[in-house]
Amino acid sequence: MKFFTKEVQIALVAIVGIVVLFFGMQFLKGLSIFSTNDSYYVKLKDISGLSVSSPVYANGYKVGVVKDIVFDYSGAGNIVAEIDLDDKMRLPKGTTAEIESDMLGNVKMNIVLAANNLDYISAGDTLQGGKASGALDKAAAMIPAIEKVLPKLDLIMGSLNVLLADPALANSLHNVDEITANLTTTTKELNTLMGGLNKNMPGMLTHANNVLESTDKITKDIATVDISATMAKVDATLANVQQLSAKLNSNDGTLGLLMRDPSLYNNLTATMRDADSLLIDLKAHPKRYVHFSIFGRKDKQ
């Protein structure tokens, strides 16, 4: 009787297929049966979609996978995730784990290494885990604030629609076009003016230099004037004026008497009056004062 009968061969093929399928499933999950990875445990309150074979990263580098997830049915509600990490990976005391999900829904676990290079935890120890605040969580946290803002946005949009429907806005925009055209014309005129100024600027600068040279020359001439001699002449002139004023105010001299003696003034006035009367009478009766005749006769009146 042969041992390798058809039934035994079929059984062996089935066993080999099951083993290959098991190892294949482990390989697809990222697990290795013959690996020397170290296992750690992470205590969580919410796994947020974390599953077996989810990747584990440290500083953005994949260092292991989630091997198993166990729910604590004792009433505490904790969830313990077993993770396999590379045996070369050493975790300082105080290291924690965080679950993070991206915009596409992919979930991973990040190991947050503590800044402790002196003391490390051993394989099989438990880490405290939590949930990282991803982009979706931040967006969800903004929803209440957005809900409060929406009524104000509706009010603003309504006011904006009323403003846009106002004919005055169209007129204002038309005026803005006219103002822009005027500004363009003004700018061109200013450019022309500036061009003329730039053209005449050398001559203006030359004229200004000439004026400055003349001013400098005048300043030098003033500096060469003998101030002391000039002031002495001014003092002498003032002294003469004072002497003349004193003589005019005194009774000495004709001008002083004329200015201060009323009788002289009255006599001069009377003399002038008599001279004026004499001239009037001379004009009226010239024959009384001038006698002229061809035959030597005299006409008496």
Side-chain angles (χ1 to χ4, degrees):
M1 182 178 180
K2 293 181 178 181
F3 178 75
F4 292 100
T5 60
K6 290 183 178 181
E7 290 78 3
V8 173
Q9 292 177 1
I10 292 172
L12 291 175
V13 171
I15 293 172
V16 171
I18 293 172
V19 172
V20 170
L21 178 62
F22 175 77
F23 282 104
M25 293 295 296
Q26 295 294 100
F27 177 77
L28 292 176
K29 291 181 180 180
L31 302 176
S32 179
I33 300 300
F34 304 104
S35 66
T36 58
N37 294 343
D38 294 331
S39 295
Y40 296 87
Y41 298 93
V42 180
K43 185 182 292 186
L44 301 163
K45 288 292 185 181
D46 183 6
I47 61 174
S48 299
L50 187 71
S51 61
V52 176
S53 73
S54 294
V56 180
Y57 291 87
N59 296 331
Y61 182 79
K62 184 179 178 181
V63 294
V65 294
V66 177
K67 185 177 181 179
D68 192 13
I69 298 176
V70 178
F71 185 81
D72 185 3
Y73 291 97
S74 61
N78 293 324
I79 301 175
V80 178
E82 182 182 357
I83 58 175
D84 272 358
L85 301 182
D86 193 310
D87 57 354
K88 297 179 181 179
M89 185 71 186
R90 303 182 66 186
L91 302 181
K93 279 191 175 181
T95 298
T96 59
E98 293 181 346
I99 298 175
E100 181 180 345
S101 58
D102 56 19
M103 298 294 293
L104 299 178
N106 299 320
V107 182
K108 64 181 179 180
M109 179 179 289
N110 288 324
I111 301 297
V112 182
L113 300 175
N116 181 10
N117 297 326
L118 299 177
D119 197 4
Y120 297 91
I121 62 178
S122 302
D125 288 345
T126 302
L127 306 176
Q128 292 296 326
K131 184 179 179 181
S133 297
L136 294 177
D137 295 329
K138 294 179 180 179
M142 293 173 62
I143 291 177
I146 295 174
E147 291 177 348
K148 294 180 180 180
V149 173
L150 285 177
K152 297 181 180 180
L153 289 177
D154 292 337
L155 180 61
I156 292 172
M157 292 301 296
S159 301
L160 184 60
N161 290 330
V162 173
L163 178 62
L164 292 176
D166 191 352
L169 180 62
N171 295 331
S172 299
L173 293 177
H174 181 67
N175 293 332
V176 169
D177 292 336
E178 293 182 353
I179 293 172
T180 303
N182 294 333
L183 287 176
T184 302
T185 304
T186 304
T187 302
K188 291 180 180 179
E189 294 176 353
L190 286 175
N191 291 333
T192 304
L193 178 62
M194 291 302 296
L197 289 176
N198 292 331
K199 183 178 180 180
N200 297 327
M201 186 61 67
M204 296 173 62
L205 292 176
T206 302
H207 181 69
N209 290 331
N210 294 333
V211 173
L212 291 176
E213 291 176 358
S214 300
T215 305
D216 184 60
K217 184 178 179 180
I218 293 172
T219 304
K220 291 180 179 179
D221 294 339
I222 293 174
T224 57
V225 174
D226 190 353
I227 303 298
S228 300
T230 304
M231 293 303 297
K233 293 179 181 180
V234 172
D235 292 337
T237 303
L238 292 175
N240 294 331
V241 172
Q242 290 177 354
Q243 291 178 3
L244 179 60
S245 299
K247 289 182 179 180
L248 291 175
N249 292 326
S250 66
N251 293 327
D252 298 335
T254 303
L255 290 176
L257 292 174
L258 182 62
M259 294 178 62
R260 303 178 63 84
D261 190 357
S263 60
L264 180 58
Y265 172 76
N266 294 329
N267 291 333
L268 287 174
T269 302
T271 302
M272 293 298 295
R273 188 183 303 111
D274 293 339
D276 185 59
S277 299
L278 179 60
L279 289 174
I280 292 172
D281 186 64
L282 179 61
K283 290 180 180 180
H285 307 284
K287 293 181 179 182
R288 292 180 181 179
Y289 305 94
V290 179
H291 302 279
F292 179 78
S293 176
I294 298 174
F295 303 100
R297 293 178 60 183
K298 293 182 182 180
D299 186 14
K300 294 183 180 180
Q301 297 183 359

